[in-house]
């Protein structure tokens, strides 16, 4: 049974107030509703069609002990929840009940996929006793972020084929592209899987176990196993958004100047924008459909795991294959500098 869209993403945190402040004050999300119970306290945030649930409380403690602040649930919408759950179980997935009344499919690590019925993007996620903020907007807030472009998942070395098959067999998602990045002493594999509507895209990444340990191995150690490495948010125009987010306190990865020195030769049609890109430290790539501009934040969390990406697509349908190396090297530089 095919799935259609990401209904919401739930993040467990030990510091709900600071996480909400990061998304609202720094990234322009709006708080829509609250839900408070004995086991959990949650807030619903929205920007464009992206819905984030930020949760703390005893229900989150086990996850937080194992992984630190991070994504616990990527909810997926489908036409028929029960049929999709039954098909997932028949395909070999582990399906469990939920305290909120919706079936959950075990994904990777401690991350699950709650199955939801398809609804309007402005509807509140079901299964919560939401108390709506008095001044919450009625429709999607589209000031800067439009939608969730993709979700990057860090897996253990050698496991990408297994999870590629899992998402194909269980949710009807298909491999879209693959990339191998070799940076000498260590390397990474990546495969993109996507559903037929394009509403759900996972970028699966894993270290090459035949090489030395690098930043993906460090992520797996800090995160206590596989997990969501980053969320990528689609924006209309990345340069002003990066400037605004920086002014609001978002810290982005530092891209080496050498990256921009080679852009004229690699992308001569971007000649007039190279100085602006260099100043903003934004990455750019091109595929057969157009250009892609992107930049990655540093993790705002204590364990330095989950981070965020801003991405602008000027026709491009890819994921910046030439930029994967630059991202890898930038994260590796940050990792070595912090040791």
């Amino acid at each position: 049974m095919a799935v259609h869209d990401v209904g919401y993403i739930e993040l467990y945190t030990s510091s709900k107030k600071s996480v909400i402040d990061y998304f609202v004050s720094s990234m322009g999300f709006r708080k829509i509703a609250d839900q408070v119970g004995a086991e959990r306290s949650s807030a619903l945030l929205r920007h464009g069609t992206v819905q984030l649930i930020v949760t703390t409380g005893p229900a989150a403690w086990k996850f937080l002990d194992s992984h630190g602040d991070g994504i616990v649930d990527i909810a997926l919408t489908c036409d028929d929840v029960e049929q999709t759950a039954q098909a997932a179980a028949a395909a070999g997935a582990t399906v469990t009940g939920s305290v909120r009344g919706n079936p959950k499919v075990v994904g990777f690590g401690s991350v699950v996929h709650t199955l939801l019925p398809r609804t309007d993007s402005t509807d509140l996620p079901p299964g919560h006793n939401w108390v709506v903020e008095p001044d919450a907007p009625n429709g999607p807030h589209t000031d800067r972020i439009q939608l969730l472009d993709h979700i990057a998942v860090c897996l253990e070395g050698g496991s990408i084929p297994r999870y590629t098959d899992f998402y194909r067999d269980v949710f009807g998602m298909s491999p879209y592209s693959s990339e191998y990045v070799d940076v000498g002493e260590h390397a990474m594999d990546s495969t993109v899987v996507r559903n037929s509507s394009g509403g759900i895209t996972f970028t699966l990444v894993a270290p090459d176990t035949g090489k030395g340990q690098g930043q993906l191995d460090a992520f797996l150690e800090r995160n206590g196993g596989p997990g969501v490495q980053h969320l990528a948010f689609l924006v209309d125009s990345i340069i002003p958004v990066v400037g605004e987010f920086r002014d609001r306190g978002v810290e982005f990865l530092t891209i080496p100047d050498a990256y921009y020195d080679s852009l004229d030769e690699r992308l001569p049609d971007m000649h007039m924008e190279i100085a602006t890109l260099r100043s903003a430290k934004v990455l750019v790539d091109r595929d057969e459909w157009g250009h892609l501009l992107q930049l990655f934040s540093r993790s705002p969390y204590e364990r330095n795991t989950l981070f965020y990406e801003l991405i602008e697509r000027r026709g491009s349908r890819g994921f910046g294959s030439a930029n994967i190396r630059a991202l890898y090297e930038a994260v590796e530089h940050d990792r070595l500098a912090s040791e």
Side-chain angles (χ1 to χ4, degrees):
M1 300 294 291
V3 288
H4 295 283
D5 294 291
V6 175
Y8 64 78
I9 290 177
E10 184 167 16
L11 188 155
Y12 276 179
T13 178
S14 57
S15 181
K16 180 183 169 189
K17 184 178 183 299
S18 64
V19 172
I20 291 174
D21 183 66
Y22 181 85
F23 282 114
V24 172
S25 300
S26 299
M27 301 189 78
F29 279 75
R30 291 184 181 177
K31 186 178 176 184
I32 303 298
D34 274 304
Q35 183 265 324
V36 178
E39 291 295 307
R40 65 183 68 228
S41 172
S42 300
L44 174 64
L45 311 180
R46 185 181 291 155
H47 200 158
T49 59
V50 181
Q51 293 201 119
L52 297 178
I53 297 176
V54 179
T55 296
T56 194
W61 290 348
K62 182 179 179 181
F63 180 95
L64 293 170
D65 285 344
S66 298
H67 310 290
D69 291 15
I71 305 303
V72 66
D73 189 359
I74 304 169
L76 306 177
T77 66
C78 45
D79 288 324
D80 189 310
V81 169
E82 288 306 317
Q83 284 190 13
T84 303
Q86 291 171 13
T94 300
V95 181
T96 65
S98 168
V99 294
R100 298 169 182 168
N102 299 100
K104 298 188 297 184
V105 178
V106 175
F108 48 89
S110 296
V111 178
V112 300
H113 300 294
T114 296
L115 301 181
L116 303 175
R118 295 183 73 185
T119 60
D120 188 271
S121 62
T122 62
D123 290 345
L124 300 177
H128 297 72
N129 296 317
W130 294 115
V131 177
V132 179
E133 293 278 296
D135 57 349
N138 292 325
H141 168 52
T142 55
D143 184 26
R144 287 304 188 188
I145 293 172
Q146 297 176 316
L147 51 82
L148 184 66
D149 188 87
H150 63 274
I151 300 167
V153 177
C154 186
L155 301 170
E156 293 170 332
S159 66
I160 284 181
R162 174 161 58 90
Y163 281 101
T164 300
D165 292 345
F166 172 85
Y167 283 102
R168 179 197 63 205
D169 297 342
V170 175
F171 294 125
M173 302 174 70
S174 302
Y176 181 78
S177 63
S178 294
E179 187 79 16
Y180 180 80
V181 178
D182 189 334
V183 290
E185 294 183 356
H186 32 79
M188 61 171 278
D189 284 301
S190 70
T191 294
V192 176
V193 294
R194 174 180 284 172
N195 71 329
S196 58
S197 72
I200 306 169
T201 302
F202 294 147
T203 301
L204 310 178
V205 300
D208 181 347
T209 56
K211 295 270 191 172
Q213 294 196 345
Q215 51 126 329
L216 295 186
D217 302 279
F219 173 95
L220 292 167
E221 182 176 353
R222 293 193 305 269
N223 193 66
V228 174
Q229 185 205 43
H230 72 264
L231 304 177
F233 300 124
L234 183 71
V235 299
D236 264 335
S237 183
I238 193 171
I239 300 296
V241 176
V242 166
E244 288 180 20
F245 284 16
R246 274 202 181 103
D247 290 343
R248 295 174 184 173
V250 177
E251 295 185 7
F252 293 98
L253 291 181
T254 301
I255 308 303
D257 280 338
Y259 171 84
Y260 300 94
D261 294 340
S262 63
L263 276 188
D264 243 341
E265 181 178 348
R266 185 163 67 88
L267 299 172
D269 51 346
M270 294 293 292
H271 173 75
M272 300 300 293
E273 295 187 62
I274 290 176
T276 302
L277 295 169
R278 184 191 294 267
S279 177
K281 296 298 183 183
V282 167
L283 300 162
V284 61
D285 201 3
R286 179 179 177 84
D287 58 25
E288 59 187 293
W289 300 283
H291 290 96
L292 174 148
L293 290 76
Q294 57 192 156
L295 187 56
F296 303 85
S297 80
R298 287 190 171 91
S299 175
Y301 306 106
E302 184 178 357
R303 287 204 193 181
N304 189 28
T305 51
L306 176 67
F307 59 94
Y308 305 102
E309 173 186 356
L310 299 180
I311 184 168
E312 175 190 344
R313 293 188 180 276
R314 301 180 183 176
S316 170
R317 303 178 192 175
F319 296 86
S321 60
N323 289 339
I324 292 175
R325 177 181 296 274
L327 167 64
Y328 195 98
E329 291 175 344
V331 174
E332 187 67 14
H333 180 270
D334 269 21
R335 182 181 74 87
L336 295 174
S338 65
E339 290 183 349

